[in-house]
Amino acid sequence: MEGGGVGSGALLVVGDVVTDIVARHRAPLAPGTDTVAAIRTVPGGAGANVACWAAYRGCPDVRLIGRVGADSAAWHEAALTRAGVRSRLVVDAEAPTGTVICLVDGGAAAERTFLTDSGAALRLSPADWSPRDLDGVALLHLSGYLFFAEPSRAAARAALSGAHARGVPVSVDPASAGFLAETGPERFLSAVDGVAVLLPSRDEAELLTGLPDPEDAAAKLSHQFPTVVVKLGAEGALVARNGELPHRVPAPPARARDTTGAGDAFTGAFLAARLTGADLREAVSQGCEAGARAVELTGGRPPDPATAA
């Protein structure tokens, strides 16, 4: 994935599909009693969000593999289809669809806290993967959540191995600083060795390297991964390659409503741009634009054609 884009073909995302329950509260949470909130149930999941944003930002062929429960499989499939994503959702006979409760502070920062029940999402297994899934694929993206549990870790390794065998570049978004800390940076870095593009947040990059400065962390990571893009939220993003920082891209101004999925929006738009021929700096700029758009929406997906005005 050098400067001039990836090449023609599909984007395949392998990752989590979950149901988000977003609760936006303006007053501080009041333990032991009620806190008024605006609550919505929306489709989510880091992997699914990335796929939807990639399709929304112009990638003509976006595919998704994930695992859900029978309780909401049809609902999720319909939402993905409306978003322009060709999904293959494995229906788990035992576990329900993963659920995330997103507590969103109604203040200016719109910061969010997640309560996560991964459910079927992290039960994706190597049996759910086939080398044929890479037919026509120009880029494979793996959600970092897959690397935080078995058997999804094994499924991610199978997909990564298959992509390497075909010469298909792979990108990974670490996805969660909390789960990353539990798993351990060294174990995660070992699992994703050979990935072409790593897209961590500031917290994830610093955790992976033990360095307190995102520029230093990005430079260090770029000695293992050919391209590292560190997402800095309202401060934009920076790019590192071969220990150098060739680009730092600002984010456009945004009035934050809900920061859930902003990093997924960035990743989806960045990958769509690369697949449609954008150079690295332009792709990062488009990622920043999508992230800014995402924080003005509720939930982690782009506008749903069925409900958008």
Side-chain angles (χ1 to χ4, degrees), residues 61-211:
D61 187 353
V62 182
R63 309 171 190 178
L64 172 71
I65 298 173
R67 194 175 181 97
V68 296
D71 54 313
S72 59
W75 182 67
H76 277 289
E77 184 174 16
L80 290 163
T81 299
R82 289 195 304 272
V85 175
R86 296 169 54 192
S87 64
R88 181 166 70 78
L89 301 183
V90 180
V91 178
D92 195 303
E94 300 177 9
T97 301
T99 301
V100 176
I101 298 176
C102 312
L103 305 177
V104 181
D105 184 346
E111 194 52 73
R112 75 279 191 274
T113 301
F114 295 150
L115 301 176
T116 302
D117 179 349
S118 298
L122 299 191
R123 287 165 57 90
L124 193 75
S125 76
D128 301 326
W129 169 260
S130 168
R132 293 190 301 275
D133 291 323
L134 288 167
D135 291 349
V137 170
L139 175 62
L140 170 67
H141 178 74
L142 301 175
S143 170
Y145 279 107
L146 298 176
F147 294 94
F148 299 141
E150 293 289 353
S152 59
R153 186 182 294 114
R157 286 197 298 263
L160 185 57
S161 176
H164 286 166
R166 290 205 187 191
V168 175
V170 181
S171 61
V172 170
D173 185 333
S176 170
F179 284 158
L180 187 58
E182 291 181 15
T183 299
E186 291 184 4
R187 185 178 189 184
F188 180 83
L189 288 171
S190 176
V192 300
D193 191 45
V195 162
V197 183
L198 189 72
L199 297 129
S201 68
R202 179 203 306 260
D203 291 345
E204 292 155 3
E206 294 174 358
L207 182 59
L208 285 169
T209 60
L211 298 175

Side-chain angles (χ1 to χ4, degrees), residues 202-242:
R202 179 203 306 260
D203 291 345
E204 292 155 3
E206 294 174 358
L207 182 59
L208 285 169
T209 60
L211 298 175
D213 179 86
E215 292 190 355
D216 293 340
K220 182 176 180 178
L221 287 169
S222 71
H223 288 296
Q224 179 176 353
F225 305 98
T227 300
V228 175
V229 180
V230 177
K231 296 171 284 188
L232 305 175
E235 297 177 32
L238 55 87
V239 178
R241 304 189 73 177
N242 302 314

